[in-house]
Each structure stands twice: as structure tokens, then as C-alpha cells.
Amino acid sequence: MFVDVILTLGAALLGCFLVLRWLMACGLGLPIEDSFFDLRQRQEAAVSPRQKSLRRRETAEIFFTAFTYRLMIFLLSGLILLFLSNEWPNLAESWLLGDSVHYVNLVEKGYSGYVEDGQHLFLVFFPLYVWITRIVAFFIGDTVYAGLLVSFVCYSAACVYLYRLAYLEMNRRAAQRTVVYLSVFPFSFFFGGMMTESLFLLTTAAALYEIRRHHWWTAGIWGMMAAMTRMHGVLLIVAAGAELMESQQFLARDGRSFCQRLAPVLRRLVPVLLPLVGTGVYLGLNWWVDGDPFAFVTHQEHWSQGFSWFSQTLGYVGYNAFYWEDLSGRAAIWIPQLLLFALFLAALALCWRRFPAMYTLYAFFYLFLNYSLSWLLSGGRYLACGVPFFLFAAALTEKRPTLDRGLTAAMSALMGVYLFAWLSGASIY
């Protein structure tokens, strides 16, 4: 109980601190020096997002390099399986692990046709990836290859948007490091599987990029697609709302009346809230299949999932990291989740002054929402899509080549270990 209180108070203080910084960035006058929040320095040094762009050739190079890298990981998995079984495997089918099998069935049978124990238990899987894969499978004639192709293309496009986003805030070398860190993150091999990770990464990175450029309708459409891919997509409203209010200096005392400050915000409110439409589509799917827009809540019980206050989640994650009976389970699930939470939280704490509030607020809510599940098994996979944190890593390694090389090498080695373990049938989700 005492630990729960301490963790909750710590999170509340951090959240209030980030909100206070955002309010001051929006023009709220408080008796606090701007230099403490690094507002004046950032505003003076900032380059308008509209002034930075990439050449088409550079964008194409990023895309094809990322796609080639994805193929290399795919072929590496074949070598691993060859080592394990002494025969060259069917590579596509060898990636049908975990939730991938369910996505194959959803593509082929649909949400109404895929039933287990007389229930539509798989309504817990969001629909956009399923629908896109079904379209691609119609043209190429194979569900598995269609799903893998969608993941490969989405990952490659996501790297382009991540690079663009990092370049807006930093420089080309930092943007390159951002993409590298994402690509060698220990759980990034999931981007090549028949799962939603690559699509969610793409929609999130693209939405954040367009939000930062103040292209509200484009950002809203990407956000809507993110919300149709995973529950967390609705959090993009936080990023869009924070950037909109800050860009309009909504709280500044500059002679404008309240109505004059409110009008430009209201004009852009519809695209900012478009992720709610994506959530509505998902609820509509639940209603269409099961007659209840919130049927997924009931079905989540089958998967031992539900909401849990983050301190309680951290409590059992921490306990299992030390006392789980199976040592391999500790190494595969619990220890990484505990360490990743601490490392991601530390990155946020170290970078709160370096980036606009849209990143820090989104990162805060994304991290704590992911650690608010009643039975968290896939924390590493979820955090692989935490876009702002890879920008934070690039900022922290600026002018620190030794740290950069060490971080890249360590994550690459760990990714190889976890990929090997996953293909071997270890409990990695």
C-alpha cells in the first residue's frame, strides 16, 4: 500500500510538472522564470517545422534501407531456425507465432466467422490491420505473405516519418540515430511479424509529424487510423491538443479577448478529435458482430486483461521479476518490463526541457497507459511503438559517440537474443 501511494504521488507530481510547463508554453503567466522550463531558449532556437523538408531521393533511400533491413531480419530468422532444426524452414509460416495466427483467421474468416467456444473472443483485436491485409491478400492470393508485406511496408514508411519528425526537432545525424535506435530496440523484431506493431508505428509517427507541422486534417486522419489499430491511438488527441493550444498561445495575455483566442482553436477542433472516430469505428464493429459496442470489455476477461492502476501493475511485474518460478520467464517477460519502465521514465525525466510539450505529455500518458493492464505480458512490444522515446534517446546521445555506440551495440545484441528466444518458442509476447 505504501509503495502504491509513493508511486502514485510520484507520477502525479511528474504529470502536474509537465502540464505546468505546457501551460506556461501556452502563455500562462506565472511567477516562475522561463529559463527554468527552458521555454525562452527553445523558442529562440526553434526552427519552424515548415522550414525543414527532405529531398525525395533521401526519403526513398530511408524507405528502401528500412525495407532491406526488414528482409535481412527475416532471412536471419531462417538461419536461426536452420541452426535449431538443421533444415531450412518455411520462413513465412515460421513467423506465425503468438497473435499472428489469430490475425490470419480474422483476415480469412472475418470477425463474425472466427469463433471460439461459441464467442467472438477476437473482437479484442482492432480491425484496421485486418482490413488492409485482407485487401492485399485479395491481390496476391496468400494471407500470410500479405500480412508480412503490410508489416514490412508500414515499418519502412514509419521509419521515413520518424526520420522526418526527428529532423524537425534536431538534425540529420540525430534523425539517423533515432531510426537506428528504433530498429535495434530489443523487441523491434515484432515489426516484421503479422501483427499490428508496424501499422500502429506508422500511423503514430505520421500523426505526430503532421501535428508538429500543424497540418491538422492530415494529422487527424492518421490519428483516426491509429485509433482503429490500437486503443492507444486515441492518445494522439493529447499531442494534437497540446500543440494546438501552444501554437495559438491560448493563455497569453496579449490583448486578445477570450473569444479571439478561442475561435482559432475551435476551427481546428474537429480534426484534432478525429481519433475518436476511429474508436467509434471499433465500437461499431463490436456492435455489428456482438450486438454490444463494448463487447470487447467482456472478451478481454478471456485474455486475463483489464484495467489496473499502474502501481499495481508495477507491483506484480516487480515481484515476478524476482520471484517467478521459471527463470526463463523472468528473463523473457518480467525483468525486461521492469527495466524498460525505469529506463523510459528516466529518458522522459532527462528530456522534458528539450522537446515541445506535445512529445512529453504524449510520452507520459503512453508509458503509464501501457503499464495499466491487469496482466501485462507485452510491455516491451508496446513500448517499441513509443515514438517520442526514441527521439529522447537520440537527444541524450548527442555529442556522446561512446554512449551512442554502446547503446546501439547493447540493443542490437539483446534484439538478437530475444529474436532467437522467440523463434525457439520462449514466452515472449
Side-chain angles (χ1 to χ4, degrees), residues 145-214:
Y145 279 105
L148 294 176
L149 179 61
V150 170
S151 292
F152 281 30
V153 171
C154 287
Y155 164 79
S156 304
C159 287
V160 172
Y161 275 106
L162 182 63
Y163 187 96
R164 287 174 172 174
L165 187 64
Y167 180 50
L168 286 182
E169 307 300 343
M170 295 174 283
N171 53 55
R172 276 185 167 82
R173 289 196 175 186
Q176 291 169 359
R177 290 199 306 278
T178 304
V179 174
V180 169
Y181 295 155
L182 169 78
S183 300
V184 300
F185 183 70
F187 295 90
S188 66
F189 61 86
F190 281 111
F191 291 132
M194 194 169 174
M195 298 181 183
T196 60
E197 267 58 46
S198 288
L199 179 59
F200 185 69
L201 178 70
L202 169 60
T203 53
T204 300
L208 291 172
Y209 174 71
E210 298 298 349
I211 288 169
R212 190 68 181 99
R213 298 178 73 210
H214 303 164

Side-chain angles (χ1 to χ4, degrees), residues 73-316:
I73 297 297
F74 190 61
L75 294 175
L76 174 62
S77 70
L79 295 176
I80 292 173
L81 291 168
L82 177 63
F83 172 80
L84 292 172
S85 62
N86 292 320
E87 61 179 352
W88 188 256
N90 183 320
L91 274 180
E93 292 184 0
S94 67
W95 278 75
L96 292 182
L97 300 172
D99 293 337
S100 299
V101 176
H102 301 313
Y103 283 109
V104 171
N105 287 322
L106 285 171
V107 171
E108 295 180 347
K109 300 177 182 180
Y111 283 90
S112 298
Y114 190 21
V115 178
E116 186 174 298
D117 296 331
Q119 300 181 70
H120 299 108
L121 298 175
F122 306 97
L123 277 170
V124 298
F125 295 96
F126 278 58
L128 187 59
Y129 179 79
V130 173
W131 293 342
I132 293 176
T133 301
R134 183 176 297 164
I135 293 171
V136 176
F138 175 80
F139 289 100
I140 70 175
D142 186 280
T143 301
V144 178
Y145 279 105
L148 294 176
L149 179 61
V150 170
S151 292
F152 281 30
V153 171
C154 287
Y155 164 79
S156 304
C159 287
V160 172
Y161 275 106
L162 182 63
Y163 187 96
R164 287 174 172 174
L165 187 64
Y167 180 50
L168 286 182
E169 307 300 343
M170 295 174 283
N171 53 55
R172 276 185 167 82
R173 289 196 175 186
Q176 291 169 359
R177 290 199 306 278
T178 304
V179 174
V180 169
Y181 295 155
L182 169 78
S183 300
V184 300
F185 183 70
F187 295 90
S188 66
F189 61 86
F190 281 111
F191 291 132
M194 194 169 174
M195 298 181 183
T196 60
E197 267 58 46
S198 288
L199 179 59
F200 185 69
L201 178 70
L202 169 60
T203 53
T204 300
L208 291 172
Y209 174 71
E210 298 298 349
I211 288 169
R212 190 68 181 99
R213 298 178 73 210
H214 303 164
H215 294 172
W216 304 112
W217 280 102
T218 308
I221 292 171
W222 280 113
M224 179 178 67
M225 290 192 290
M228 292 170 62
T229 306
R230 190 178 290 173
M231 173 184 64
H232 304 71
V234 76
L235 287 180
L236 288 164
I237 293 176
V238 173
E243 181 67 15
L244 174 59
M245 299 282 277
E246 182 174 346
S247 67
Q248 296 299 319
Q249 287 292 285
F250 181 74
L251 300 176
R253 297 179 180 179
D254 52 9
R256 293 177 297 166
S257 67
F258 176 76
C259 290
Q260 289 175 322
R261 285 178 280 141
L262 181 62
V265 173
L266 292 179
R267 285 197 297 268
R268 297 164 176 83
L269 193 59
V270 172
V272 166
L273 296 177
L274 274 181
L276 292 177
V277 175
T279 302
V281 170
Y282 175 62
L283 298 180
L285 174 66
N286 278 259
W287 175 81
W288 179 264
V289 173
D290 248 7
D292 179 4
F294 299 99
F296 70 94
V297 177
T298 301
H299 296 316
Q300 282 178 337
E301 296 176 2
H302 171 82
W303 305 94
S304 302
Q305 287 296 2
F307 179 80
S308 172
W309 191 246
F310 80 93
S311 61
Q312 297 174 337
T313 300
L314 285 175
Y316 72 71

